[in-house]
Amino acid sequence: MINGFYHIRIFLAALFVCTLSSYGWAQKTDSLRFPIKDRRGDRFTWHYSNPFDLSDSTFIRDSIEYDPKTRQYYIIEKIGNTYYRKPTYLTFDEFLQLQAKQSETDYFNERSKTLFDLNRKIARPKPQVYDQLFDRIFGVGPKGMKVEIKPQGSVDLTMGYQGQNIKNPTLSERARKNGGFDFDMNANVNVMGNIGDKLKLPINYNTLANFDFENQLKLDYKGKDDEVIKSIEAGNISFQAKGTLMASVQSLFGIKTTLQFGKLFITTAIADQRSQRQSLALEGGGLSQPINKKLDDYDENKHFLMAQYFKSNYNSAMSNLPVVNSQVQIMRAEVWITNRTGRTTNTRNIVGFMDMGENQPYNSNIHSLTGSPYPDNAANDLYSFLIKDGANRNPALINTLLLARGLTPVNDFEKTFARKLDSSEYYINPQIGFISLNQQLQPDDVLAVAYQYTYNGRVYQVGEFSQDVTVDSTQGVQKVLFLKLLKATSQRPSLPIWGLMMKNVYSLDITSLDREDFKLNVVYQEPSGGIKRYLPESNPTVSGQPLMTILRSDRLNNRNDPQPDGLYDFVDGFTVLQQQGKVIFPVLEPFGKDLDALAFANMPPELKQRYVYYQLYDSIKAIAQTYANLNRFLLQGSVKGSSTTDIYLGGFNIPPGSVSVTAGGQKLIENTDYIIDYNLGTLKVINQAIINSGVPVNVQYENNATFGIQQRSFLGMRLDYLVNKKLSVGGTIERLSERPFFTKMNYGDDPIRNTMYSLDFNYRSELPGLTRLLDWLPYYTTTTMSTINAYGEAALLKPGHPPQIGKGNEGLIYIDDFEGTTSNIDLRFPFIAWAMASTPQGNGLFPEGTLTNNIDYGKNRAKLAWYNIEP
């Protein structure tokens, strides 16, 4: 308010002087040394200036108003609603000229200010001087040098003495007593340490961890901006490669340093790698997997025919797919296996019989009652014998009664405590008559079934259902169920039950098969290593035909029309179990007697012996796989699981940051295109555009499962040179070396020592010219600056091997270790590995060799004595 009154006072004084002057009463000369004059025109055209003149008061409000009729700009100055000065005007050209002049003045003022700032010296920070060497190395924080260590956790110590005294007279007095100090320590420690403002020590260690890679030990040193040493890391480290051809490594234990020399950054790492790089492919939303499977590896103890009738009619029933040549229809079934889960519901004492329901029983004490081949309880007199005497239902007496009838355990029957499987735990083909379990049975498990089926309208039943035989309410004894035995506790190829286990079913190790991408072929591997789709030698009627055609596996196209297409037939439930990922041959012994009948009929026996794999079906798998000369049939191709967005990576505790996902060559972004559960090892694609497009998705990750088994050494170096703010060039060197377990390594287990080199560049810059060019397009205006981003990379792999198996290019591996076939017998332990030899016979030198129960039998035997000297 004071300032405002001051301006009003000056204004009245100036007005009074002007009034006097107009009437001639004012003085002719002004007494002020620097006269003060009022502005007579507007502030744009009045050029008089005096540094001592006071500016207009805030009470004076000026404005510029445009009159569209006269096309003139009126400059108005008011105090309240009263005109302070007479309004003036400017023409359009005058106003435009004034604006241009003002803009020019502002431009040169801004330019002058910028040049002044560029030429001005900038104050640099004062150098920091450390008083002591320790402070210079570890740095000083805002509050000075500080060492801070925060331990958390617990340490358990167990100490004691453990000894024993064995009263065994055969031992020496010193060996009878022994003992020692028992000490055990378990630690679960979490330490956060800081030394200065440069060194950090995060430690997380638990001696009871399931895996060693769960323990994290690290030393982290960070240098200042003006220091050569940028960082030093020791313990659990990772090595980052900035390219796509060379993958980064996360699970390392070693040391890593980063140095800076001007514009050059050098990062080196020397460590042990605690993981293995693996990859998966997801094509069209499904997990794609190549198949190269030896056909000696059938799915054991999982698939069983339900009677000898179904075994005899299997080939004929499958010969005209998709039409099934069978009038059998299984309506109802119960499946029982040995109870190893501790369950108490749906459990019973059962007895499974090999000859139950068979019209041609194997045991001579069981007699056939009908000539009908169809399985039924009335097919022989076994079931009538069992239900005739109520004592057979007693689990404590059934064994004795069956032995008295001439039945032997394992061979003829199996008694066990079993549980009934849910319908979701198995699949039954109701026409072919086989059962497929989801879980493989143990070698000593028992499998027994009861089922009911129809044939030409007539109902047949084999075995008993759990509702048919209930608990005895008077005595509280759970009655025994009588069932059809499919698998006993011992595999005996001489018994008919051996033929009920299907040996023509193979697992593809992938579930939910996709029909469109199901491409399999059966091939033969020649001794020279070549792969053929047909047999080198066969019957002239099938000579030159593919193996799949001979084995009736290629009769249909992908629409199940009767037209071969060169690929394995896909008939769900018969040749393929789609959900379980299994392949079933339409003949029961495809490489045994069926191959003999289809490809070698009327051929010489010596020719059959070179190709027909009889041993695969008349011996257990372990013995059959020893016939390498016949084990030459392969299943090759590729299959894909049905459309899914979830990928199981095949391991737990995947190292964070180790997963790299690409789709169509473009790298995907985590939490934008996909999400990962590192603990469970699952990956889910969430970008719907990638799922719908069917673009192949490749996943690379590190698996910690092999840590502790194979020792791997890692060496890495990364060079980055910043040419300018736009261009950077770099190079990477990585070497991975595996240490062999032995100096003699078998084929396929040979260790590696591979080195990889790469060069890359990255250029990024703005393109204002492109932005201006785009603005010329009609109805289009850019809102952001256009940029260019160019990236290039080249890599070279140099394979090698460690010096333990050979230097230079002279690496040595063994096709077969013949020395491993020898057995060493230690002379120091005669009672374990040594036995007295028999006397030779038939050479005339030892006539006492014909004696029996006579002391003279060993009269010429050398006398051997062993002495065990106490250490």
Side-chain angles (χ1 to χ4, degrees), residues 505-773:
V505 185
Y506 298 88
S507 175
L508 300 179
D509 300 324
I510 188 171
T511 58
S512 301
L513 298 175
D514 189 352
R515 181 190 186 96
E516 298 299 326
D517 294 278
F518 185 80
K519 301 175 182 178
L520 291 180
N521 201 353
V522 181
V523 298
Y524 179 81
Q525 185 178 18
E526 294 185 301
S528 61
I531 301 294
K532 290 185 177 180
R533 296 184 60 191
Y534 52 87
L535 291 172
E537 301 172 277
S538 62
N539 194 303
T541 58
V542 296
S543 179
Q545 292 186 11
L547 258 172
M548 285 199 305
T549 303
I550 298 174
L551 299 176
R552 301 177 181 175
S553 301
D554 180 23
R555 298 178 54 257
L556 310 171
N557 58 17
N558 59 354
R559 295 183 299 273
N560 283 346
D561 297 329
Q563 182 179 356
D565 59 355
L567 298 175
Y568 198 94
D569 292 339
F570 191 103
V571 183
D572 190 20
F574 294 89
T575 62
V576 172
L577 298 180
Q578 185 173 8
Q579 295 301 322
Q580 299 183 24
K582 312 293 183 184
V583 170
I584 307 175
F585 278 87
V587 290
L588 205 55
E589 297 184 9
F591 309 106
K593 68 177 184 180
D594 290 317
L595 181 64
D596 185 0
L598 296 172
F600 295 100
N602 302 321
M603 299 297 289
E606 59 272 11
L607 181 63
K608 298 180 181 181
Q609 293 175 0
R610 289 203 296 265
Y611 298 100
V612 183
Y613 202 173
Y614 297 108
Q615 293 80 1
L616 187 61
Y617 308 99
D618 58 19
S619 304
I620 63 174
K621 183 193 285 189
I623 295 177
Q625 290 176 338
T626 61
Y627 291 83
N629 59 321
L630 298 173
N631 188 10
R632 299 189 179 278
F633 298 96
L634 303 174
L635 187 67
Q636 292 185 343
S638 64
V639 295
K640 185 175 71 173
S642 61
S643 181
T644 179
T645 59
D646 296 329
I647 305 175
Y648 176 61
L649 301 180
F652 299 96
N653 295 318
I654 302 297
S658 69
V659 180
S660 176
V661 185
T662 59
Q666 183 176 0
K667 191 172 184 179
L668 303 186
I669 302 174
E670 185 177 356
N671 297 325
T672 301
D673 299 317
Y674 64 93
I675 55 176
I676 302 177
D677 189 331
Y678 289 100
N679 294 326
L680 298 179
T682 58
L683 182 145
K684 181 180 181 64
V685 180
I686 60 176
N687 190 332
Q688 194 63 35
I690 297 175
I691 300 173
N692 296 336
S693 64
V695 176
V697 177
N698 295 314
V699 182
Q700 292 187 347
Y701 63 97
E702 295 180 21
N703 191 353
N704 288 322
T706 58
F707 169 62
I709 302 175
Q710 176 67 64
Q711 183 179 356
R712 297 182 177 89
S713 300
F714 177 84
L715 172 64
M717 176 179 290
R718 171 71 189 178
L719 304 176
D720 289 288
Y721 185 76
L722 305 179
V723 180
N724 50 47
K725 295 181 178 180
K726 301 179 181 179
L727 176 63
S728 65
V729 295
T732 307
I733 302 175
E734 292 182 4
R735 190 182 72 180
L736 180 63
S737 179
E738 294 179 347
R739 183 177 181 86
F741 299 108
F742 312 100
T743 56
K744 296 180 179 180
M745 298 299 297
N746 294 331
Y747 177 75
D749 298 330
D750 44 313
I752 63 171
R753 193 181 192 184
N754 296 343
T755 307
M756 196 170 182
Y757 308 89
S758 75
L759 295 174
D760 59 82
F761 74 92
N762 193 352
Y763 179 81
R764 181 180 178 86
S765 177
E766 295 182 349
L767 289 178
L770 180 60
T771 304
R772 291 191 297 268
L773 182 62

